[in-house]
Amino acid sequence: MAIRDVRERMERQLSPCPSSTRPEWEQQRPAADAHKVTVSEATFTMLGFFLNPFTFSMPFLFAQSGLVSLLVLLLAFILCSFTGRLLVNCLQVLKDAGVPRPGYGDVATMVSGPRFGLFMQLLAPLECFVYALGTCIIMCKSLAVAFPSLGAESLVSASCALAVIQCAIPDKAYAYLALLSTLSLIGSLLVVFAYSTSLPEWSEKMELVVHAGLLPNSFSLAVFCIGAHCCFPMLFNAVGSKEACMQALQLGMLLWLAVAAVSGLAGYYIFGPAAQAIIIDNVGLDVQLRPYPAQVAVKALLQLFMLLHCQLKLVPVSRPIAELWNQVLGWTVDVGQGGVMSMLSGLPVFLLIGPAAYGLMDLIAVVDSLCGSTLMSLNAIIFPSFAFVVICRPSGAMLWLSLSAGFLGIVLAVFVPWQYLAHYTPSV
């Protein structure tokens, strides 16, 4: 069936229901104007997504690619800002067509029918699952240093159990906890840099380009941080306005760019090639990776900030997965409202995240690199670009820019995994 026919069919299906049947629809999907958040609250929430624990990998990004990483971060910011706007425009078209709370599955259905809609409806929460997985792993690795007797299994279990309880907090209130999470991440970075002042020497070895072949891998790592497009529909529905949504996204991404660039450059200047995949692992080591004692206060502050940042981060990224679970069960619960039903919706999510985090505890670098180039490229670059072309039908420069972004995402998704494996797999 032609794309135009599919779109016209979807528009008929999404047209406003008669008054006699509309209440039944609203019972199935909560009204979009309920529990609205302000632009500031939306910015806090999205900044919490962007400044995720993989921001601690920014010095490692600079160490493997060099000062050219500043350009890599800028390009990732420009690309993800552009595709984010494309996605928001698609969501607005669906809302105008009568969908009260449009999501990834609705956009995909309008592009290519219900099967593709189901595929993207499953793929978007998978990205959130990877975010939650990485957050849980990084927190437990950090706390294991302070509580070695507990073991990774106990730490993961305790974290997931606490996260289920946190699911009872509604999104409007959780926006401020997301801000606290972001401030805790910045606090963790400041603690690492404060520790570095006690080192006998700094690396101060900065090169323009270290490994040119790893630039695409560095780009995928940056996209992993900022390509949280799977959560944009949640933001769009929460603020209820395309303009407010775009404003919150732009502010959040600009702040991410500032923090990522400053922390990456500072960490590279201090630790040089010794910058670890997660910069907090450099605490307790010198620039030659030899053991170097850290003050008790430094360790305590780092553990506190990491606990606050990662634990508070788990609930927002679990919301889209919980919504999918509710749809599978046929529940009409809006997880953003909080309460007991939101806790029950989050329980199966963390029953999956816990074992996955424990099993992949030592493979975090592989997870963020490969998922950043494949899963995030599809959700954050390829899909929004081509969906915008089909749904909004741009012309002129916007058409070519959208198509170019989509094809760039395809190249990233194909080339980076091959290049990554070629670099890190020993030759036979």
Side-chain angles (χ1 to χ4, degrees):
M1 182 179 295
I3 291 176
R4 177 177 297 180
D5 294 335
V6 174
R7 186 174 190 273
E8 291 174 353
R9 175 171 56 82
M10 285 301 302
E11 287 178 343
R12 289 195 300 270
Q13 292 175 347
L14 298 175
S15 61
C17 299
S19 58
S20 60
T21 59
R22 186 69 176 179
E24 181 180 354
W25 188 338
E26 295 297 345
Q27 289 177 5
Q28 295 175 356
R29 303 188 73 173
D33 59 355
H35 304 283
K36 287 292 185 292
V37 300
T38 65
V39 173
S40 297
E41 291 167 344
T43 302
F44 297 159
T45 300
M46 292 315 300
L47 187 58
F49 286 120
F50 300 145
L51 287 177
N52 53 64
F54 295 99
T55 304
F56 293 118
S57 297
M58 291 300 105
F60 176 72
L61 184 151
F62 277 74
Q64 71 175 3
S65 297
L67 293 175
V68 73
S69 297
L70 288 171
L71 180 59
V72 170
L73 293 179
L74 181 60
L75 290 175
F77 163 77
I78 293 173
L79 181 60
C80 290
S81 297
F82 177 68
T83 57
R85 287 177 171 270
L86 300 184
L87 178 60
V88 171
N89 276 289
C90 293
L91 294 170
Q92 184 63 49
V93 170
L94 266 71
K95 184 178 180 180
D96 293 341
V99 180
R101 292 178 61 85
Y104 251 60
D106 299 310
V107 175
T109 299
M110 195 171 213
V111 170
S112 189
R115 291 185 179 179
F116 185 57
L118 178 60
F119 173 74
M120 291 305 301
Q121 193 173 13
L122 295 173
L123 198 64
L126 180 59
E127 177 182 340
C128 295
F129 181 83
V130 175
Y131 274 115
L133 173 68
T135 300
C136 190
I137 289 175
I138 292 175
M139 179 178 64
C140 292
K141 285 175 70 71
S142 174
L143 293 179
V145 177
F147 307 101
S149 60
L150 293 180
E153 184 176 358
S154 298
L155 292 173
V156 168
S157 300
S159 175
C160 290
L162 181 57
V164 172
I165 298 175
Q166 293 169 224
C167 289
I169 303 174
D171 284 345
K172 189 172 181 64
Y174 215 101
Y176 297 94
L177 293 180
L179 176 61
L180 178 58
S181 173
T182 299
L183 295 176
S184 298
L185 179 142
I186 296 174
S188 299
L189 290 171
L190 293 177
V191 169
V192 173
F193 296 141
Y195 160 78
S196 69
T197 60
S198 67
L199 297 176
E201 62 175 346
W202 286 359
S203 174
E204 300 182 9
K205 296 178 181 178
M206 306 178 72
E207 301 180 41
L208 180 61
V209 179
V210 178
H211 298 294
L214 289 180
L215 286 175
N217 183 66
S218 297
F219 185 78
S220 71
L221 180 59
V223 170
F224 193 98
C225 285
I226 200 173
H229 290 50
C230 64
C231 302
F232 291 2
M234 179 182 68
L235 176 70
F236 175 83
N237 294 320
V239 297
S241 163
K242 182 178 77 171
E243 293 74 19
C245 181
M246 288 186 173
Q247 184 179 354
L249 290 178
Q250 197 65 41
L251 286 173
M253 288 187 178
L254 280 170
L255 290 171
W256 168 84
L257 179 63
V259 174
V262 171
S263 63
L265 189 61
Y268 180 43
Y269 180 77
I270 295 169
F271 298 104
Q276 299 297 289
I278 304 297
I279 194 61
I280 59 175
D281 290 341
N282 281 98
V283 175
L285 302 172
D286 63 13
V287 295
Q288 305 299 328
L289 295 181
R290 296 172 300 200
Y292 189 84
Q295 296 181 354
V296 175
V298 168
K299 292 182 178 179
L301 277 176
L302 184 60
Q303 302 303 325
L304 175 61
F305 285 138
M306 286 300 298
L307 175 62
L308 287 173
H309 169 67
C310 294
Q311 189 63 45
L312 294 176
K313 181 79 64 183
L314 287 173
V315 170
V317 294
S318 73
R319 295 293 205 203
I321 317 173
E323 287 183 352
L324 176 62
W325 173 253
N326 287 345
Q327 291 178 19
V328 171
L329 294 181
W331 290 0
T332 59
V333 179
D334 181 358
V335 295
Q337 294 182 19
V340 175
M341 292 304 297
S342 291
M343 289 177 57
L344 294 177
S345 301
L347 178 60
V349 177
F350 289 101
L351 286 177
L352 292 175
I353 291 174
Y358 180 74
L360 297 173
M361 190 69 64
D362 297 324
L363 298 174
I364 187 63
V366 178
V367 171
D368 63 20
S369 294
L370 294 183
C371 288
S373 62
T374 53
L375 184 61
M376 275 59 175
S377 292
L378 179 57
N379 277 334
I381 303 175
I382 301 172
F383 175 68
S385 300
F386 293 123
F388 178 77
V389 171
V390 174
I391 295 175
C392 298
R393 299 185 180 183
S395 59
M398 278 301 298
L399 173 62
W400 289 107
L401 285 173
S402 302
L403 291 174
S404 298
F407 285 115
L408 177 61
I410 293 175
V411 172
L412 185 68
V414 173
F415 176 73
V416 172
W418 171 83
Q419 176 267 341
Y420 183 88
L421 294 175
H423 182 82
Y424 287 102
T425 301
S427 58
V428 180

